[in-house]
Amino acid sequence: MHVANGWKDYSVIATGDGYKLERWKDVILLRPDPQVIWPAKFDFKTYPNLSAYYERSETGGGRWKILKKMPEEWTVSYKDCSFRVKPMGFKHTGLFPEQAANWDVMRRLIENRKKQGKEVSVLNLFAYTGGATVACAKAGAKVCHVDAAKNMVERAGENVRLSKVPEGSVRYIVDDCFKFVQREIRRGRKYDAVIMDPPSYGRGPNGETWKIESGLYDLVTLCKEVLSDDPLFFLINAYTTGLQPAVLKNILTLALPNAFTSIDAYEVGLPTEEGIVLPCGAGGMSYNG
């Protein structure tokens, strides 16, 4: 398991009864987590200074319940990267802190390639609010950031600016990821690294549908056509229940034969103050170097 244990502005305080109690800098939030199937040691809603919790609806979705005055949004930092967070729909905050485990690996690979005097271009698909975009750009890469949601791409731009990424390092695209890659192939554009963080299900800006079980392999195969002759890495993140790390490894092995020298497949997790690690999905990375 790759554990994101480098945070100072974020921590998981406790887990239980389908919820995780979190500290986001000075704000305490309580959010549902489907992996937490063990009992809580105490009533989280009585935790001192709890600012808000996400209440699930029996009909699906839910809403935030604010318990005390708190900022509408605020900034958290991971090393030299900064991000705006806020309670949003579907229990999200605009950041997946467990991905810091992947950020560190990608930064190291990019920095080592840069030391060889080589430029690195990264294609970040389903890029959301730009956690990986910021991390790669801070390491010196040029990043193409693609997401179908315009408001998420705009927030990624805010995070890039907050993190003081050099101007011109990031190109922002609002588009369906599959269609964008097809166009990049026709343009003959190449990338040294590809990141994809696909949802289980989603829709593109023009109503295009995406389902990870039926679309992931085809998209990885398609992205092979935009890899440079000397690729650095290819990362897949998956939060879909049932997609084990071995599934991602198999997809990378079958879809990208002979492109990379190493493949690593793993769970991603967050340490908790209880002394356990909370599983937060799976990752698969093929890489050279």
Side-chain angles (χ1 to χ4, degrees), residues 161-286:
R161 291 187 290 274
L162 272 174
S163 298
K164 296 180 171 58
V165 170
E167 190 171 349
S169 297
V170 180
R171 181 165 64 114
Y172 304 96
I173 305 293
V174 179
D175 203 350
D176 174 76
C177 290
F178 203 96
K179 289 184 176 179
F180 177 76
V181 174
Q182 289 177 321
R183 283 194 289 272
E184 291 292 83
I185 292 171
R186 291 195 293 270
R187 297 179 186 119
R189 200 184 301 268
K190 300 289 184 178
Y191 296 89
D192 302 305
V194 175
I195 304 164
M196 58 176 67
D197 200 342
S200 299
Y201 180 84
R203 288 189 177 276
N206 297 312
E208 303 90 343
T209 58
W210 162 268
K211 190 174 181 182
I212 192 169
E213 291 88 350
S214 58
L216 182 57
Y217 182 85
D218 288 344
L219 181 57
V220 174
T221 302
L222 191 69
C223 286
K224 180 184 177 182
E225 302 302 315
V226 297
L227 283 176
S228 67
D229 294 335
D230 186 20
L232 184 56
F233 64 82
F234 197 115
L235 171 66
I236 307 173
N237 290 310
Y239 291 91
T240 303
T241 303
L243 284 189
Q244 302 298 324
V247 173
L248 302 183
K249 183 175 183 178
N250 290 343
I251 289 174
L252 289 167
T253 300
L254 295 170
L256 306 172
N258 306 316
F260 297 94
T261 58
S262 302
I263 300 180
D264 190 11
Y266 46 87
E267 286 186 271
V268 178
L270 286 165
T272 79
E273 295 179 15
E274 306 159 304
I276 63 174
V277 175
L278 178 63
C280 302
M285 179 183 282
S286 294

Side-chain angles (χ1 to χ4, degrees), residues 1-2 10 12 20 33 35 96-99 238-239 267-271 277-283:
M1 178 179 281
H2 290 193
Y10 172 86
V12 179
K20 56 187 173 187
D33 191 305
Q35 298 288 345
F96 292 97
E98 65 274 7
Q99 286 301 315
Y239 291 91
E267 286 186 271
V268 178
L270 286 165
V277 175
L278 178 63
C280 302

Side-chain angles (χ1 to χ4, degrees), residues 6-36:
W7 281 97
K8 293 182 179 179
D9 279 0
Y10 172 86
S11 66
V12 179
I13 300 167
T15 59
D17 292 333
Y19 278 85
K20 56 187 173 187
L21 185 66
E22 306 167 295
R23 177 183 63 84
W24 294 84
K25 203 167 186 178
D26 300 322
V27 179
I28 308 298
L29 299 178
L30 180 61
R31 296 193 291 159
D33 191 305
Q35 298 288 345
V36 181

Side-chain angles (χ1 to χ4, degrees), residues 85-135:
V85 296
K86 65 177 293 185
M88 299 191 296
F90 301 102
K91 76 181 179 179
H92 293 308
T93 61
L95 190 67
F96 292 97
E98 65 274 7
Q99 286 301 315
N102 283 324
W103 302 342
D104 289 344
V105 174
M106 292 186 291
R107 289 192 66 160
R108 184 166 60 251
L109 289 168
I110 292 168
E111 288 164 357
N112 287 342
R113 178 69 67 92
K114 293 283 290 183
K115 288 177 183 176
Q116 301 171 19
K118 300 178 181 179
E119 295 300 316
V120 178
S121 59
V122 177
L123 175 60
N124 189 9
L125 301 173
F126 308 97
Y128 194 47
T129 59
T133 293
V134 169

